[in-house]
Amino acid sequence: NAGVTQTPKFQVLKTGQSMTLQCAQDMNHEYMSWYRQDPGMGLRLIHYSVGAGITDQGEVPNGYNVSRSTTEDFPLRLLSAAPSQTSVYFCASSYSRGTGVSDTQYFGPGTRLTVL
Amino acid sequence: AQKITQTQPGMFVQEKEAVTLDCTYDTSDQSYGLFWYKQPSSGEMIFLIYQGSYDEQNATEGRYSLNFQKARKSANLVISASQLGDSAMYFCAMREDVFNDMRFGAGTRLTVKP
């Protein structure tokens, strides 16, 4: 199993450009999520999905869109990039779609995004 | 309000000694899970240990143990016999019963000295 994969690993954008960060998992996990990591702030949840066709907003959703057409894939779209979106982005997945407090999240390797 | 608080931005420990990384949390739920992750300089997030709110015993995984004090709402990570490879950022996280998402603390950077 590859686990959680993310592409690209690095990306530089200009202000106003759009792009999609790809995330895929091969563990048949129902729950997938996107986080951003900024210095001194830990990881903050952007969007999450409890299954194909179901998505919801997290703590910092503005400027980002998601969709979940398959169990395996959960892409994150930046609509119009801003310098404030410079960050490291992590995708994660876990087994349960319900209230599984014990479900461990497994993370992808991250995408380092710079917006100029 | 902060759900997860890690009050130690940085910690130093001598190789082969034990170290405790602090974590306090805030929740009104009875059912919740507490997690610790390690992030080495390479950047990946590595799951270390899990403690459920109803677990009576403290969780242990090899050299990692979790000192869970429910009444104090603390879930400190103890690393025994520190190794140079333990130098990394460590994040405490919580998953509550009502919500699906996981909330993270700001992290503690641990440096192991030879």
Side-chain angles (χ1 to χ4, degrees):
Chain A
N1 285 354
V4 181
T5 58
Q6 291 182 238
T7 56
K9 289 192 170 148
F10 301 93
Q11 183 70 49
V12 179
L13 292 177
K14 293 182 180 177
T15 296
Q17 287 184 317
S18 63
M19 79 158 294
T20 299
L21 306 185
Q22 300 292 343
C23 174
Q25 53 89 12
D26 62 359
M27 297 176 282
N28 203 30
H29 284 171
E30 294 286 353
Y31 183 87
M32 296 185 74
S33 54
W34 276 102
Y35 292 86
R36 59 177 289 172
Q37 183 180 19
D38 302 296
M41 301 189 74
L43 278 73
R44 292 181 294 167
L45 184 67
I46 304 171
H47 285 285
Y48 66 96
S49 168
V50 298
I54 307 168
T55 63
D56 206 346
Q57 296 181 351
E59 188 182 353
V60 288
N62 292 342
Y64 308 96
N65 267 0
V66 292
S67 59
R68 183 100 179 266
S69 56
T70 67
T71 300
E72 294 78 21
D73 301 296
F74 190 43
L76 178 73
R77 277 181 281 278
L78 279 70
L79 309 172
S80 177
S84 61
Q85 293 178 304
T86 294
S87 188
V88 180
Y89 292 85
F90 287 98
C91 179
S93 74
S94 63
Y95 177 72
S96 173
R97 72 165 63 198
T99 54
V101 296
S102 63
D103 288 330
T104 301
Q105 288 207 81
Y106 296 95
F107 285 81
T111 294
R112 186 174 294 274
L113 175 68
T114 302
V115 183
L116 302 176
Chain B
Q2 281 280 15
K3 288 277 188 179
I4 299 284
T5 303
Q6 295 180 253
T7 56
Q8 308 152 315
M11 289 279 288
F12 291 89
V13 65
Q14 208 66 37
E15 193 178 6
K16 298 181 186 175
E17 292 186 350
V19 63
T20 298
L21 306 183
D22 295 340
C23 173
T24 57
Y25 59 91
D26 181 28
T27 182
S28 55
D29 287 347
Q30 296 302 308
S31 176
Y32 52 89
L34 297 156
F35 302 79
W36 277 91
Y37 285 84
K38 172 184 179 182
Q39 186 178 43
S41 57
S42 51
E44 71 268 32
M45 295 288 288
I46 302 168
F47 165 70
L48 294 178
I49 196 167
Y50 163 80
Q51 177 86 43
S53 58
Y54 292 121
D55 294 342
E56 294 185 354
Q57 305 260 6
N58 285 343
T60 60
E61 289 286 350
R63 293 186 300 110
Y64 303 108
S65 60
L66 204 151
N67 184 0
F68 180 47
Q69 298 187 43
K70 195 169 180 176
R72 293 187 175 186
K73 292 188 176 177
S74 75
N76 299 338
L77 177 70
V78 180
I79 306 175
S80 63
S82 297
Q83 302 172 356
L84 296 178
D86 294 334
S87 292
M89 281 289 287
Y90 288 82
F91 292 97
C92 180
M94 177 174 66
R95 205 165 200 172
E96 295 171 286
D97 195 23
V98 177
F99 304 104
N100 284 294
D101 63 315
M102 189 179 275
R103 297 296 176 114
F104 285 79
T108 296
R109 182 172 297 281
L110 177 68
T111 303
V112 180
K113 294 182 172 182

